[in-house]
Amino acid sequence: MSETAAGKRRNYAAFDDEIETRGFDFGLVVRLLKWMRPYRRQGFMAIAFVLLAASAAVLAPVVVSRVVVDGILLPTSDAGAPDFGQKALNSFLATSFDLHPLFSACLLFGLWTVLWAFFGHGFRTMLARTVLHALRDLRRDLFAHLEKLPSSFYDRVAVGRVMTRLTNDIETLFELLAGFGVLLGEFVPFFAAVSVMMALNPTLTLELLVLLPVAAVATWIFRVVSRQVYRNIRSSMSRLNENLQENLSGIEVVQLYGRERINFERYNAINEENRQQENLAVRIESYYGPSMDSMAFLAIAAIVWFGGQHVLSGVATLGSVILFAQFADMMFRPIVAMGEQWNVVFRAMASCERIFQALDWDEALEVPKETRSLPDDVEGRVTFNHLTFGYTPGTTILKDVSFEIRPGERVAIVGPTGSGKTSLVRLLCRFYDVPRNSILIDGVDIMDVEPAEIRKRVGVVLQDFHIFSGTVYDNITLGNPAVTREAAREAARLVHADPFIRMLPQGYDTVLTERGRNLSHGQRQLLAFARVLAMNPDILILDEATASIDTETELIIQDALSKVTEGRTSIIIAHRLQTIREADRIVVLADGEVREFGSHQELMARGGLYKTLYELQVQDTAGR
Amino acid sequence: MESRATTSRTDGRSPSSPLWRLVPLVQRHKWRFWGGMSLINTGRLLEAVMPLYLKMGIDRIAAGDTRLALPALAILGLMVLRYIAFNIGRRLVREVGVNAAYELRQRLYWHLELQGPLFFSKFTTGDLMARAINDITLIRQLIGMGTRLLFVLGFSGIVAFLFMFYQSPSLTLALLPALPVFAIIGWLIARRIFDQSTLVQEGFSALSAQVQENLNGIRTIQTHAQEDRETERFEATSDHYAGNYYKLMFLNSGLTSAMLVATGFTTLMVVGYGGMQVLEGTLTLGTFTAFIFYLNMMLAPIREGGIMITLFQRGGSAAARIFEILDHEPEIRDAPDATPLEGIGGALTINHLSYTHPAQKGEGWPALKDVSLEIGKGEMIALLGRVGSGKSTLLRLIVRLLDPPPGTIYLDGRDIRMLPVTQVRSQIAMVPQDPFLFATHIAQNISYDNPERATDDVWRAAESADLETTIRRFPDRLETIVGERGVTLSGGQKQRASLARGLIRETPVLLLDDCFSSVDTETEEFILSRLKSLRHGHTTIMVSHRVSTARHADRIVVLDEGRIAETGSHAELLARDGLYAALERQQGRREELERALEKDVGDDT
Ligand SMILES: Nc1ncnc2c1ncn2[C@@H]1O[C@H](COP(=O)(O)OP(=O)(O)OP(=O)(O)O)[C@@H](O)[C@H]1O
Ligand SMILES: Nc1ncnc2c1ncn2[C@@H]1O[C@H](COP(=O)(O)OP(=O)(O)OP(=O)(O)O)[C@@H](O)[C@H]1O
Ligand SMILES: [Mg+2]
Ligand SMILES: [Mg+2]
């Protein structure tokens, strides 16, 4: 084992750690664009719409200031400043429809407003569509990737941590991408406004632009000051969630052991920390936010002062000063928006890294390029050949395990708890990598076969099975269309689950709650058993599949099973010896080593571990 | 999942009611909230004064007056005052939002701690997580930002209106007919936003529930090679969510655009009507400009009204989802006149106990029927019975994980419903059938009820559960981290860790629910022999399917389909030749087993 997958020591802690970005990482954003590609048409349309909307947004005030004020109300002060053809357009409208120029100007203003609203709506919906679709695909890709990660990964990493990547982290990206859209929507009017202002009065514009660096510096200071606070907030949030999640999963134990108070206090300590950090962030933001929208006031003061001088000295028109006052707001909007987005951007960068870290997590079972497939009708010869295995480098759980199961044979594995029985089964199902040629099915090294294929051929009732919420029927078929309703019933009948299922309020369509908590433990185990039979595997493995089942039911199952598994290789792991009564041969595993292997009689004759176990279980019950 | 979605939707039908329920959260910080609001509105007032000086400036420029320092400096002064007002005001209001989130989280957590099985059959972990994270955030945004926008909108609307009226009454009155139009548009779209955002939030819950279940059952999915199908299923959920989200965004954006057009037409009226007045000479150009400024000031919040409405509707639907949980009264509570017993002995009386699991829909059927049992202090009882015969149900009723009917279960002669729940659970330890371990150290798992326990006690409990040698073999000993739900332990190791967690408490009554099912017989014998001396004089009930376990008990109770089929000692029951005797024959008899195990061997060798 040590030379294969486990040889590469992975830093699972990295997956659990709070990821912090070094700052804005353009590479990450570029990588995100890959998911936007299929929707680029909508994306470009969104950009086109935002340009159109911004133009309309700029033209509407131009109509008021240049056409109405400069052209109609105070016609004398016209100094030939650009009006983007609005005056000509207006007089054209006025003459062709025979309107008072003031009314045609109003019509024009109304037109630009409607277009502004229309294109704005087009932009926002197109942007939402692009981003939502892209993120939906990203979510699917991430999910598909996570579904394929091997057990060695899930052994080490908390489900909650993996889960937030699929849920909250992707939500944050939505905020980021939608935020980019908002920024774009603010920058276009900004450039339009600045260029109009430049055209009208370059000196005044430059005087105003001096304010921009001031805003930029304020933003920079804000970011430096708030960075650590936001980091603390994120960390306390994820600890809150983790705590809640674990508490909910183990709620029964929490209540049984009276831990409600302690858990609540621990949770609340984090909650308190979160509140303090949030309040700190609020404080910092309230210094910053209003300072940004004060910029517009500063600009207006400057316009009155400098613009006034210009008009008085005849360099500028009054209309252009009014226009400037109207544009002052537009000039600072992108900075305000950027300040608001900082927080999101940094949160999103961290989310992005977490998502890509999960997507790039290349832990996978070793599958050769040229896979072999198992023969169509698997005979069921299973060979363990000097198999040594440990879950982590440096530990060995199984030591030099060698034995062979003949086609169609029923073999039992017994041994003290923790001796490695379940591990052996997991390896046979290809949940972990094993050294080459150490496990063979029908002479084919399982390392040469696609893991999914092995799992279709080898059916295993796991010791720690999982029942999903959903109907009984869904739990047996697991959504596999190859399993018909009838096959599911037949499987349930085989494991004697049919009687109790039919007693349920809606029979096979009864909805089970999370983890099947509305069934008894044994009933759940029967379902897990039935679902393996329903897939009709070539090799059947039962890992303590009847541990929670009473003997009477177990005997019924064994009778039914012995008929259907006739001639099918099966491996049965059990502590109770009556469970293995059908076994042809028995493997005794202790401390990861095969101690004894042979038929009941042979092992009894040897007088080893098996005999001890046996004697313990049959010890004179009848006699007492 | 689908059905749940529709039920909770109808619960939160009326958009206003959940919002009112947020009021107490705000009222608790009323000084901060109203102080902040007044400051913000003072800031707005200062903003409203600004156009006056702009007007002064423009009029002076138009008149060729060079005294521009006064208007420019006045605007600067206003800026500084406004900054101060906004700085403090926003901070105060947003702090109320942060505090409300803090308090809601606190309440929600404590509330969840008290819930029983019926509740958890309604709400999955993933769903609850989604509510605790997203919905509380939405409520915080509503209180910290939505209310601010609401008051600003109302206030600046009124102020601007008054200023405008002062400037030019006729022009202002011309605007009045536009106001109801805004209200109607806003109201119509707002209702749909509420419904749509409920759908979005439910979609997120569904998504997170699916992810959560899927990752928890990943090994099962992989053994059945169902990864691709699960991905397809997930894609459908995710697509549904994206679709609903898109509709919400569409509504939001539509509202924004509608408001824009409406405000645009208002401006248009002012430009047309006011322009005429300027041309006629009844209005100065400065007043005209100032008027447009006020108009913008009045209209800007209306344009932002879209954001405000969205915040309110999303926050309202989030509040409905949170209160849906907070309104769920805990199923199991202390009776009002419950008083603790002093010095629990551990005698249990079960008196004509019948119990039917409350089912979410459809009628349940009784899990226990007329069970009566007298268990003396210090007795060791074995509980046997077929799958689903009601063994776990009985134990769960005794610790009040389920609520027994009144007058059916007595501890030392007192109805356990008349005892505080905490006392029942601290005096009766139960080791559940499903060995759940937390993803921490083994030591912290074993001393779960009281983290303060001495290491020696932990070792002793581990020893009693025959886990000591196993732990000593782990490199990190007691500090070994066991993985989520104990994944890195073997089945038997998990079960014994869970057993040790129960044994360490040394309670007067101990309930063991099938705690040896994954343990080999040798280990079981060892544990049972220790248990017998450890529990000497204390009441113990153990569920088992094994005769070898039952043999150790003073008395054996066999349940069958929720009824007590027989009780008695091992020998008595064998003599009775009933269910137990049949079981004993099937399990342990040497000749039976031998015959079975030895068959067919001839062919193979
Ligand atoms: N995922 C894992 N990561 C690390 N160690 C593990 C993991 N699973 C099991 N182990 C360790 O490997 C050893 C063998 O475990 P295994 O589950 O194979 O035992 P088992 O024979 O099935 O025992 P039981 O009868 O109790 O089920 C145990 O010591 C256990 O702690
Ligand atoms: N939460 C629940 N809601 C509805 N029905 C339930 C619930 N829990 C158990 N039941 C039903 O009550 C009956 C008794 O269940 P119980 O768990 O007590 O059985 P048990 O004797 O412990 O069985 P096992 O040996 O399988 O553990 C079963 O038919 C089961 O389906
Ligand atoms: Mg095992
Ligand atoms: Mg049970």
Side-chain angles (χ1 to χ4, degrees):
Chain A
M1 180 62 206
S2 45
E3 70 271 19
T4 57
K8 184 170 172 186
R9 271 176 194 270
R10 286 179 185 277
N11 182 11
Y12 292 99
F15 202 90
D16 279 355
D17 278 347
E18 237 1 88
I19 290 183
E20 278 310 330
T21 44
R22 295 159 293 283
F24 187 80
D25 186 343
F26 204 65
L28 292 177
V29 179
V30 168
R31 194 165 168 201
L32 265 183
L33 288 180
K34 186 184 146 215
W35 277 271
M36 313 262 260
R37 258 184 84 84
Y39 309 103
R40 57 183 179 278
R41 289 238 325 258
Q42 277 109 319
F44 288 131
M45 267 164 83
I47 293 177
F49 279 144
V50 74
L51 293 176
L52 290 171
S55 318
V58 173
L59 288 180
V62 167
V63 171
V64 175
S65 61
R66 300 289 298 144
V67 179
V68 178
V69 177
D70 283 351
I72 302 165
L73 302 184
L74 217 88
T76 46
S77 69
D78 192 12
D83 54 29
F84 303 98
Q86 296 304 301
K87 276 186 183 164
L89 194 57
N90 191 41
S91 49
F92 170 75
L93 273 179
T95 46
S96 50
F97 294 101
D98 196 18
L99 291 170
H100 189 288
L102 190 58
F103 288 115
S104 59
C106 284
L107 273 185
L108 205 54
F109 178 81
L111 177 72
W112 292 134
T113 309
V114 169
L115 286 180
W116 177 10
F118 175 78
F119 289 125
H121 183 60
F123 159 66
R124 287 185 296 267
T125 48
M126 280 296 155
L127 179 70
R129 183 175 278 231
T130 316
V131 171
L132 284 169
H133 283 169
L135 291 182
R136 178 196 61 190
D137 294 352
L138 173 62
R139 212 174 228 146
R140 181 209 44 219
D141 292 351
L142 181 57
F143 186 86
H145 179 71
L146 291 172
E147 285 288 286
K148 303 267 182 200
L149 285 180
S151 290
S152 48
F153 173 78
Y154 287 104
D155 285 350
R156 305 275 165 239
V157 170
V159 164
R161 288 294 181 121
V162 184
M163 182 178 154
T164 48
R165 282 161 216 243
L166 269 167
T167 53
N168 299 336
D169 283 333
I170 293 195
E171 290 301 286
T172 312
L173 286 194
F174 178 74
E175 277 180 54
L176 171 77
L177 293 176
F180 274 150
V182 172
L183 272 187
L184 196 64
E186 301 289 359
F187 265 109
V188 173
F190 167 78
F191 284 119
V194 169
S195 52
V196 171
M197 288 157 81
M198 278 302 250
L200 278 175
N201 189 341
T203 15
L204 186 52
T205 313
L206 289 178
E207 278 157 6
L208 289 182
L209 283 180
V210 171
L211 290 175
L212 284 184
V214 176
V217 168
T219 304
W220 182 77
I221 292 176
F222 165 67
R223 198 175 87 58
V224 169
V225 173
S226 60
R227 191 175 177 152
Q228 186 59 40
V229 179
Y230 285 125
R231 185 173 296 177
N232 294 344
I233 290 178
R234 283 198 290 276
S235 137
S236 57
M237 266 323 270
S238 67
R239 274 178 295 138
L240 276 178
N241 297 339
E242 221 167 296
N243 181 314
L244 179 63
Q245 146 124 5
E246 189 164 59
N247 187 67
L248 287 176
S249 316
I251 188 74
E252 194 174 288
V253 176
V254 171
Q255 292 177 346
L256 279 174
Y257 288 78
R259 266 287 289 253
E260 295 96 332
R261 261 290 143 207
I262 299 178
N263 285 6
F264 174 71
E265 272 155 22
R266 289 194 180 168
Y267 179 82
N268 215 30
I270 313 173
N271 197 11
E272 179 63 47
E273 183 190 325
N274 175 264
R275 165 162 79 167
Q276 277 168 10
Q277 294 296 323
E278 289 272 13
N279 278 336
L280 199 57
V282 162
R283 195 165 296 189
I284 296 172
E285 275 170 28
S286 358
Y287 278 110
Y288 171 74
S291 77
M292 283 297 109
D293 37 70
S294 293
M295 289 293 166
F297 278 68
L298 209 55
I300 287 176
I303 289 167
V304 170
W305 179 249
F306 295 110
Q309 313 285 342
H310 292 304
V311 176
L312 292 176
S313 57
V315 191
T317 64
L318 186 55
S320 64
V321 171
I322 296 178
L323 188 67
F324 264 63
Q326 282 181 336
F327 277 167
D329 193 36
M330 264 185 209
M331 249 183 95
F332 293 96
R333 284 270 280 277
I335 300 173
V336 175
M338 240 160 63
E340 279 164 6
Q341 294 291 321
W342 267 132
N343 183 11
V344 177
V345 168
F346 280 87
R347 239 187 26 227
M349 283 295 133
S351 288
C352 229
E353 272 202 19
R354 278 198 293 267
I355 289 169
F356 288 139
Q357 182 197 40
L359 263 180
D360 293 341
W361 196 269
D362 61 350
E363 185 168 8
L365 293 172
E366 233 176 78
V367 183
K369 283 203 188 68
E370 300 270 301
T371 51
R372 291 177 65 185
S373 56
L374 295 173
D376 275 344
D377 42 334
V378 169
E379 264 193 309
R381 178 184 302 278
V382 179
T383 317
F384 292 93
N385 184 17
H386 300 293
L387 167 66
T388 298
F389 173 80
Y391 287 97
T392 47
T395 58
T396 39
I397 299 294
L398 294 170
K399 295 164 207 142
D400 197 27
V401 171
S402 296
F403 65 94
E404 183 172 271
I405 303 173
R406 298 171 200 145
E409 196 179 18
R410 292 194 187 105
V411 166
I413 306 180
V414 299
T417 107
S419 55
K421 305 178 293 293
T422 302
S423 307
L424 196 64
V425 163
R426 286 187 190 142
L427 295 182
L428 178 55
C429 295
R430 211 44 186 90
F431 272 119
Y432 299 86
D433 285 329
V434 290
R436 300 214 143 263
N437 280 317
S438 54
I439 304 181
L440 302 104
I441 296 177
D442 280 6
V444 179
D445 182 0
I446 62 163
M447 287 294 286
D448 286 338
V449 186
E450 190 73 44
E453 185 178 344
I454 295 179
R455 293 177 195 155
K456 277 179 192 145
R457 302 305 188 83
V458 181
V460 52
V461 184
L462 294 173
Q463 193 173 17
D464 48 355
F465 56 89
H466 185 89
I467 298 290
F468 296 90
S469 60
T471 63
V472 171
Y473 176 68
D474 288 343
N475 262 293
I476 300 179
T477 63
L478 280 181
N480 186 348
V483 180
T484 62
R485 251 186 120 87
E486 195 34 56
R489 272 171 206 251
E490 183 54 37
R493 249 173 252 137
L494 276 175
V495 299
H496 201 61
D498 188 60
F500 94 78
I501 296 175
R502 273 188 291 141
M503 292 252 302
L504 294 174
Q506 282 88 29
Y508 282 81
D509 293 310
T510 307
V511 176
L512 304 183
T513 54
E514 201 176 9
R515 289 186 179 261
R517 286 203 202 103
N518 51 349
L519 290 182
S520 88
H521 195 79
Q523 291 168 339
R524 273 178 261 165
Q525 194 163 43
L526 291 179
L527 282 191
F529 200 155
R531 99 176 141 208
V532 174
L533 291 183
M535 69 183 250
N536 197 18
D538 294 324
I539 297 173
L540 181 66
I541 305 178
L542 310 177
D543 187 359
E544 298 282 3
T546 49
S548 306
I549 311 292
D550 59 290
T551 307
E552 198 185 331
T553 310
E554 188 180 10
L555 286 176
I556 299 174
I557 298 175
Q558 278 178 4
D559 279 348
L561 214 57
S562 68
K563 288 185 206 99
V564 289
T565 60
E566 190 65 62
R568 210 185 296 200
T569 303
S570 40
I571 300 176
I572 304 158
I573 298 178
H575 289 302
R576 278 189 286 175
L577 290 185
Q578 82 267 11
T579 308
I580 61 164
R581 34 189 285 160
E582 304 281 338
D584 301 321
R585 285 193 297 172
I586 297 153
V587 177
V588 181
L589 209 61
D591 281 334
E593 290 174 63
V594 176
R595 288 288 169 79
E596 295 157 30
F597 181 40
S599 68
H600 171 73
Q601 281 143 322
E602 287 164 7
L603 297 189
M604 288 303 282
R606 274 184 63 158
L609 189 57
Y610 179 76
K611 186 158 191 276
T612 324
L613 286 174
Y614 181 82
E615 292 296 339
L616 260 167
Q617 290 202 26
V618 296
Q619 113 198 155
D620 306 325
T621 47
R624 216 170 92 174
Chain B
M1 203 121 297
E2 302 302 314
S3 63
R4 196 172 309 140
T6 45
T7 50
S8 64
R9 249 167 73 75
T10 42
D11 290 346
R13 188 69 222 176
S14 135
S16 62
S17 60
L19 285 176
W20 283 119
R21 303 191 52 188
L22 292 175
V23 171
L25 278 174
V26 174
Q27 275 298 322
R28 195 170 315 184
H29 308 281
K30 53 174 175 285
W31 293 115
R32 224 184 277 183
F33 184 78
W34 293 113
M37 281 301 176
S38 344
L39 277 173
I40 288 174
N41 285 322
T42 311
R44 280 281 156 181
L45 210 58
L46 295 169
E47 272 181 12
V49 178
M50 194 274 284
L52 284 182
Y53 289 96
L54 180 63
K55 176 191 160 192
M56 181 196 264
I58 287 178
D59 281 347
R60 282 186 182 178
I61 296 173
D65 190 339
T66 48
R67 291 169 303 145
L68 292 177
L70 174 66
L73 286 179
I75 292 175
L76 281 184
L78 287 174
M79 178 192 96
V80 172
L81 290 178
R82 173 190 169 278
Y83 176 81
I84 295 172
F86 273 177
N87 175 340
I88 303 175
R90 280 199 203 167
R91 188 178 108 202
L92 292 178
V93 173
R94 288 187 54 185
E95 275 175 358
V96 176
V98 170
N99 279 322
Y102 167 85
E103 278 158 28
L104 270 181
R105 243 181 242 133
Q106 192 175 358
R107 260 170 76 185
L108 191 68
Y109 192 91
W110 184 244
H111 196 72
L112 291 173
E113 294 285 67
L114 303 180
Q115 293 299 333
L118 188 59
F119 176 88
F120 287 106
S121 71
K122 269 191 204 152
F123 302 99
T124 62
T125 312
D127 180 17
L128 292 173
M129 293 294 297
R131 290 178 202 236
I133 301 171
N134 283 19
D135 289 320
I136 290 191
T137 306
L138 286 171
I139 292 177
R140 195 191 74 194
Q141 285 173 352
L142 165 65
I143 295 179
M145 191 165 146
T147 53
R148 189 181 88 210
L149 291 181
L150 175 72
F151 280 95
V152 162
L153 187 140
F155 185 77
S156 25
I158 293 171
V159 169
F161 190 80
L162 291 178
F163 266 84
M164 279 164 24
F165 197 80
Y166 169 75
Q167 297 275 338
S168 166
S170 62
L171 202 49
T172 311
L173 289 178
L175 294 178
L176 277 185
L179 292 180
V181 177
F182 296 152
I184 290 174
I185 298 176
W187 186 74
L188 283 180
I189 302 186
R191 283 179 55 110
R192 297 198 44 202
I193 288 182
F194 182 89
D195 288 349
Q196 195 61 36
S197 54
T198 307
L199 282 179
V200 168
Q201 277 141 256
E202 278 166 5
F204 188 76
S205 272
L207 200 82
S208 89
Q210 195 169 346
V211 172
Q212 154 107 9
E213 270 229 288
N214 216 286
L215 294 179
N216 277 329
I218 188 79
R219 288 173 187 79
T220 299
I221 289 167
Q222 290 183 343
T223 13
H224 291 257
Q226 294 299 305
E227 300 95 326
D228 293 335
R229 203 152 288 116
E230 285 301 317
T231 306
E232 268 168 42
R233 250 174 28 93
F234 178 76
E235 199 179 354
T237 313
S238 163
D239 190 50
H240 190 68
Y241 173 66
N244 274 328
Y245 212 140
Y246 175 71
K247 281 187 202 143
L248 179 64
M249 298 308 284
F250 186 90
L251 286 174
N252 275 343
S253 160
L255 182 62
T256 308
S257 282
M259 288 298 172
L260 185 64
V261 171
T263 54
F265 275 87
T266 318
T267 313
L268 189 145
M269 279 166 62
V270 172
V271 172
Y273 187 58
M276 286 308 284
Q277 288 184 335
V278 174
L279 286 180
E280 286 161 9
T282 44
L283 201 70
T284 69
L285 191 56
T287 313
F288 177 78
T289 320
F291 203 89
I292 291 191
F293 234 95
Y294 285 119
L295 191 66
N296 268 331
M297 190 177 139
M298 187 175 97
L299 295 181
I302 294 187
R303 261 186 231 134
E304 284 190 6
I307 302 176
M308 181 202 82
I309 289 175
T310 305
L311 282 174
F312 266 85
Q313 299 307 318
R314 294 204 76 177
S317 118
R321 281 160 55 81
I322 294 290
F323 285 117
E324 185 185 359
I325 291 177
L326 291 180
D327 287 346
H328 211 284
E329 284 296 328
E331 298 143 55
I332 293 149
R333 276 177 303 173
D334 284 345
D337 44 353
T339 45
L341 260 184
E342 268 170 49
I344 300 264
L348 279 168
T349 307
I350 294 160
N351 182 23
H352 298 293
L353 168 64
S354 295
Y355 185 79
T356 302
H357 285 281
Q360 244 208 94
K361 53 177 182 179
E363 72 295 355
W365 69 100
L368 289 174
K369 296 166 206 151
D370 197 28
V371 171
S372 295
L373 194 61
E374 199 67 58
I375 299 171
K377 174 176 184 301
E379 244 192 314
M380 185 176 263
I381 303 280
L383 197 56
L384 270 73
R386 256 181 265 171
V387 163
S389 55
K391 307 177 293 293
S392 303
T393 305
L394 181 60
L395 298 197
R396 289 156 66 82
L397 284 164
I398 296 176
V399 275
R400 285 198 79 188
L401 273 181
L402 300 172
D403 232 6
T408 50
I409 301 182
Y410 295 86
L411 178 61
D412 288 350
R414 175 89 77 88
D415 187 346
I416 58 160
R417 292 181 58 112
M418 302 312 287
L419 292 172
V421 178
T422 44
Q423 188 184 27
V424 173
R425 293 195 188 143
S426 67
Q427 299 304 310
I428 305 179
M430 171 170 163
V431 179
Q433 199 166 7
D434 199 4
F436 180 93
L437 298 182
F438 294 90
T440 52
H441 302 164
I442 290 191
Q444 288 175 17
N445 267 298
I446 294 180
S447 59
Y448 191 68
D449 65 321
N450 176 7
E452 246 82 278
R453 279 184 200 282
T455 318
D456 284 350
D457 292 343
V458 176
W459 277 117
R460 210 168 316 122
E463 200 186 331
S464 313
D466 194 29
L467 196 61
E468 195 212 353
T469 42
T470 312
I471 296 177
R472 284 201 194 283
R473 251 189 277 160
F474 292 145
D476 296 329
R477 304 281 181 98
L478 281 178
E479 264 82 59
T480 308
I481 295 199
V482 299
E484 273 203 332
R485 290 179 174 261
V487 275
T488 60
L489 297 184
S490 85
Q493 288 165 348
K494 258 188 281 192
Q495 208 163 36
R496 281 174 292 150
S498 158
L499 179 63
R501 178 168 65 191
L503 292 181
I504 203 170
R505 299 175 64 188
E506 297 175 354
T507 46
V509 182
L510 177 66
L511 312 176
L512 304 179
D513 196 353
D514 208 7
C515 287
F516 306 108
S517 63
S518 309
V519 176
D520 58 280
T521 326
E522 194 179 354
T523 312
E524 182 189 353
E525 282 295 317
F526 176 82
I527 299 174
L528 276 172
S529 61
R530 293 205 53 130
L531 195 68
K532 265 164 118 173
S533 62
L534 211 68
R535 298 295 302 166
H536 189 77
H538 299 306
T539 315
T540 308
I541 305 180
M542 40 187 199
V543 168
S544 177
H545 287 301
R546 299 185 194 173
V547 170
S548 56
T549 314
R551 255 187 346 230
H552 289 272
D554 301 323
R555 201 144 54 100
I556 296 162
V557 177
V558 183
L559 276 181
D560 191 32
E561 293 188 353
R563 287 179 205 281
I564 293 187
E566 47 193 25
T567 61
S569 70
H570 180 73
E572 282 164 17
L573 289 185
L574 283 188
R576 247 189 85 156
D577 201 19
L579 282 172
Y580 182 77
L583 197 66
E584 193 268 350
R585 268 198 303 280
Q586 288 160 347
Q587 276 192 16
R589 288 270 170 91
R590 184 185 286 271
E591 57 275 26
E592 270 274 324
L593 206 56
E594 222 138 76
R595 205 179 315 126
L597 282 165
E598 284 169 12
K599 79 166 190 257
D600 290 346
V601 167
D603 314 348
D604 287 326
T605 37

